[in-house]
Amino acid sequence: MTHPPFVFDQWANAHQQRIEQVLAQTLPAETVLPERLHAAMRYAVLGGGKRVRALLSYAAAELAETTLERADAAAAAVELIHAFSLVHDDMPCMDDDDLRRGKPSCHKQYDDATALLVGDALQSLAFECLVDTGAPQALKQVQVLANATGSRGMCGGQSIDLQSTGKRLSRSALETMHQYKTGALIEAAALLGAFAANETAPQLINTLMQYSQHMGLAFQVVDDILDATADTQTLGKTAGKDALQDKSTYVSLLGLDEAKSLVSHLHTQTLALLAAFGAQADPLRGIARFICERPF
Amino acid sequence: MTHPPFVFDQWANAHQQRIEQVLAQTLPAETVLPERLHAAMRYAVLGGGKRVRALLSYAAAELAETTLERADAAAAAVELIHAFSLVHDDMPCMDDDDLRRGKPSCHKQYDDATALLVGDALQSLAFECLVDTGAPQALKQVQVLANATGSRGMCGGQSIDLQSTGKRLSRSALETMHQYKTGALIEAAALLGAFAANETAPQLINTLMQYSQHMGLAFQVVDDILDATADTQTLGKTAGKDALQDKSTYVSLLGLDEAKSLVSHLHTQTLALLAAFGAQADPLRGIARFICERPF
């Protein structure tokens, strides 16, 4: 009996649909008090995005040989944290961006106060859905996610970013900023998926940490390349913002060609990391290609 | 051998000093990257407030016969959530208040973007410190706290409050709003303290839930009375704001005299709830008196 060949697009589509349904069930209905807040939370989370973080959770769960059902809470939690960060980042006092995933951002569709509360409540909901499963490693999941979200993770990265605008950063300072700002949550996405299993070998966790460190970096370099080269319609968010806001990026620091070859180098390294694994690493290989080969 | 008589002021002072030290150790130092964010987090949390929620956690832990050391994480977590809510509530897009605990509020001392991130990171830190203890009932603590914080708790109450400004609320609508806005976290403070024990009898949890529902309501009624009658210097925050913002309050709804007699009635009911307990309920009795007899 031979397995059918792995087709990443099919796998990604199926899991994107799955996480969309899981999120729709996790978020309180618009008919539940307070209705306006719940409507705004659903607006901010549902119906958009590539769900890269959820895909990572599912792919890591597959590597850890646990079921999709058990990985749902992990995938939902990381997407809820990601959505909360987008809502707050778009607010006037932060990046002041009117457009997100091709739609008015949350504070434009609703109002600033509601957007503030949407982000706050999405963060709580992420932790709530992790513990509601009662999974054996749920405490570890809460710990990893809280750490990746807070001042030594995503929020800290935003703060470093604010302090850095208009300054020319060294490459190492830029890497530190992005490790906090996006790398920590990408790593958490993978680890939470693996911790959905009853137990997880340290060696597996080690591979996933290296994988996600490479992918977090690649993801950001590609983001910088796209911001510099794609148009607003293609991106679904305002393009060319980095240059406009005089932000240090991998493109401004390395130039476009070297930025592209860094992505290609990270892709190769990542595939080497996974060489010891069989078909159960195919989703992680597919995600690596998807991240590194987004059209540019 | 007789016990010395319980003196609430001494108990409260000792536990206020204790939680201050616990919080100072839980918050990352100002020398840790990102320094400005960590400084702002410490500014927002340390050196102020009556710490009513932490006192509730410690008092409930005492009723559940567990140690102070085990209750520290619970007390810190609820104070971190409370501090996060104050920072976000004071922002221009919410209550727009420049003064908090007699000092410039966080966004005035720092800036709006930093205040936004401070609140976000304090929320994560609350969950992080709960799980770092590895206590047997830590998952239950995370669940209770996340639920009390999110859209069906504190954040939801803020949203209802925003929707209600300028409207005349019924008494039941006002109670619902405050149950979400402040009651849920007060209840969580008591429950988290009890869940610091290795196991907790359902009967004890039941008593604590009734206790904190009474106290949550009393706390809000007293707040409304103070807002209507005290001056800004005494309060350490802007007084008379409710009338200025045309908000429904227990004073506007019931009148001052009936509001005061409601507090007195709640106090009596609460003491009756605790009648079956001995000296280990003295801290809870003292907190009830403290909440119900704040000078007005």
Side-chain angles (χ1 to χ4, degrees):
Chain A
M1 198 177 108
T2 56
H3 283 284
F6 178 75
V7 183
F8 177 72
D9 283 355
Q10 283 175 12
W11 182 89
N13 278 339
H15 289 76
Q16 280 157 347
Q17 283 175 31
R18 182 179 183 94
I19 186 61
E20 201 68 20
Q21 283 176 1
V22 171
L23 288 168
Q25 282 163 8
T26 302
L27 287 155
E30 300 189 13
T31 50
V32 172
L33 182 79
E35 297 86 353
R36 184 178 162 87
L37 180 61
H38 288 144
M41 287 167 74
R42 298 182 76 88
Y43 177 84
V45 174
L46 297 177
K50 299 172 295 291
R51 308 288 185 207
V52 173
R53 290 158 193 80
L55 294 181
L56 267 173
S57 293
Y58 284 126
E62 198 150 323
L63 195 69
E65 297 180 340
T66 186
T67 62
L68 282 180
E69 287 69 25
R70 305 203 48 174
D72 283 336
V78 292
E79 286 296 328
L80 291 170
I81 294 290
H82 179 55
F84 124 59
S85 81
L86 297 182
V87 171
H88 279 186
D89 289 359
D90 285 342
M91 286 181 69
C93 67
M94 296 282 289
D95 284 357
D96 194 13
D97 208 318
D98 293 355
L99 200 61
R100 171 65 63 183
R101 294 170 176 165
K103 298 188 301 182
S105 39
C106 188
H107 69 280
K108 295 300 289 183
Q109 184 72 14
Y110 291 87
D111 54 77
D112 292 1
T114 300
L116 180 62
L117 294 171
V118 163
D120 292 346
L122 290 177
Q123 181 175 178
S124 315
L125 186 60
F127 293 108
E128 209 177 325
C129 81
L130 277 184
V131 294
D132 279 352
T133 62
Q137 301 197 85
L139 271 185
K140 231 180 252 181
Q141 292 178 312
V142 172
Q143 192 166 39
V144 167
L145 189 63
N147 198 273
T149 302
S151 69
R152 286 159 293 192
M154 192 182 73
C155 295
Q158 286 292 343
S159 177
I160 300 172
D161 195 4
L162 286 173
Q163 299 299 302
S164 307
T165 299
K167 288 184 195 157
R168 189 170 167 80
L169 295 184
S170 69
R171 180 163 169 181
S172 110
L174 192 68
E175 281 189 11
T176 301
M177 176 179 92
H178 287 307
Q179 168 50 26
Y180 279 68
K181 198 177 154 189
T182 55
L185 189 60
I186 284 177
E187 187 178 311
L191 296 185
L192 261 65
F195 286 135
N198 282 342
E199 50 182 1
T200 321
Q203 180 53 36
L204 189 84
I205 294 299
N206 194 33
T207 300
L208 285 173
M209 285 174 76
Q210 289 184 63
Y211 172 93
S212 38
Q213 276 154 21
H214 290 347
M215 282 304 100
L217 178 55
F219 192 81
Q220 190 56 50
V221 180
V222 171
D223 241 29
D224 288 352
I225 292 172
L226 289 174
D227 186 81
T229 58
D231 60 36
T232 297
Q233 206 184 344
T234 311
L235 282 182
K237 61 182 180 181
T238 312
K241 234 174 35 176
D242 296 335
L244 214 66
Q245 295 181 344
D246 196 19
K247 286 193 176 180
S248 290
T249 72
Y250 286 102
V251 173
S252 71
L253 205 67
L254 305 177
L256 197 54
D257 287 344
E258 207 183 317
K260 286 182 183 180
S261 84
L262 173 58
V263 173
S264 161
H265 174 66
L266 289 165
H267 191 181
T268 310
Q269 281 190 305
T270 304
L271 294 181
L273 269 177
L274 300 174
F277 295 91
Q280 79 272 29
D282 278 342
L284 286 173
R285 292 186 189 102
I287 291 172
R289 197 179 61 234
F290 175 75
I291 286 177
C292 296
E293 297 182 1
R294 280 193 280 169
F296 50 78
Chain B
M1 197 177 105
T2 56
H3 283 283
F6 178 75
V7 182
F8 177 71
D9 283 355
Q10 283 175 13
W11 182 89
N13 278 339
H15 289 76
Q16 280 157 347
Q17 282 175 33
R18 182 179 184 95
I19 187 59
E20 201 69 22
Q21 284 176 1
V22 171
L23 288 167
Q25 282 164 8
T26 302
L27 288 156
E30 300 188 13
T31 50
V32 172
L33 183 77
E35 297 87 353
R36 185 180 162 88
L37 180 60
H38 287 142
M41 289 167 74
R42 299 182 75 88
Y43 178 83
V45 174
L46 298 177
K50 298 172 294 291
R51 306 291 186 205
V52 173
R53 291 158 192 80
L55 294 182
L56 266 173
S57 293
Y58 285 126
E62 197 151 324
L63 196 69
E65 298 181 340
T66 186
T67 62
L68 282 180
E69 287 69 26
R70 304 201 51 173
D72 283 337
V78 292
E79 286 296 328
L80 291 170
I81 293 290
H82 179 55
F84 125 57
S85 79
L86 298 182
V87 170
H88 280 186
D89 289 358
D90 286 342
M91 287 181 67
C93 67
M94 296 282 288
D95 284 356
D96 194 13
D97 209 319
D98 293 356
L99 200 61
R100 172 65 63 183
R101 294 171 176 166
K103 298 187 302 181
S105 40
C106 187
H107 70 279
K108 295 300 288 184
Q109 184 72 14
Y110 290 88
D111 55 76
D112 292 0
T114 300
L116 181 63
L117 295 171
V118 162
D120 292 346
L122 290 176
Q123 182 175 177
S124 316
L125 187 60
F127 293 108
E128 208 177 327
C129 82
L130 277 185
V131 294
D132 279 351
T133 62
Q137 302 197 84
L139 271 185
K140 230 179 254 182
Q141 291 179 312
V142 172
Q143 193 166 38
V144 168
L145 189 63
N147 198 272
T149 302
S151 68
R152 286 160 293 191
M154 190 182 74
C155 295
Q158 286 292 342
S159 177
I160 300 172
D161 195 6
L162 286 172
Q163 299 299 302
S164 309
T165 299
K167 288 185 196 156
R168 189 170 165 81
L169 294 184
S170 69
R171 179 162 169 180
S172 110
L174 191 67
E175 281 189 12
T176 301
M177 175 179 94
H178 287 306
Q179 168 50 27
Y180 280 69
K181 197 177 157 190
T182 55
L185 189 60
I186 284 178
E187 187 178 312
L191 296 184
L192 261 64
F195 286 135
N198 281 342
E199 49 183 1
T200 321
Q203 180 53 36
L204 189 84
I205 294 300
N206 194 32
T207 300
L208 285 173
M209 285 174 77
Q210 291 185 61
Y211 172 94
S212 38
Q213 276 155 20
H214 290 347
M215 283 304 100
L217 179 54
F219 192 81
Q220 190 54 51
V221 180
V222 171
D223 242 29
D224 288 353
I225 293 172
L226 289 175
D227 186 81
T229 58
D231 60 36
T232 297
Q233 205 184 345
T234 311
L235 283 181
K237 61 181 179 180
T238 312
K241 235 173 36 176
D242 296 334
L244 212 66
Q245 296 181 345
D246 196 19
K247 285 193 175 180
S248 290
T249 71
Y250 287 101
V251 173
S252 72
L253 206 66
L254 305 177
L256 196 56
D257 286 345
E258 208 184 316
K260 286 183 184 181
S261 85
L262 173 59
V263 173
S264 163
H265 174 68
L266 288 165
H267 191 181
T268 310
Q269 281 190 305
T270 304
L271 294 182
L273 269 177
L274 299 175
F277 294 90
Q280 80 272 29
D282 278 342
L284 287 173
R285 293 186 189 101
I287 291 172
R289 197 177 64 233
F290 175 75
I291 286 178
C292 296
E293 297 183 0
R294 280 193 280 169
F296 52 78

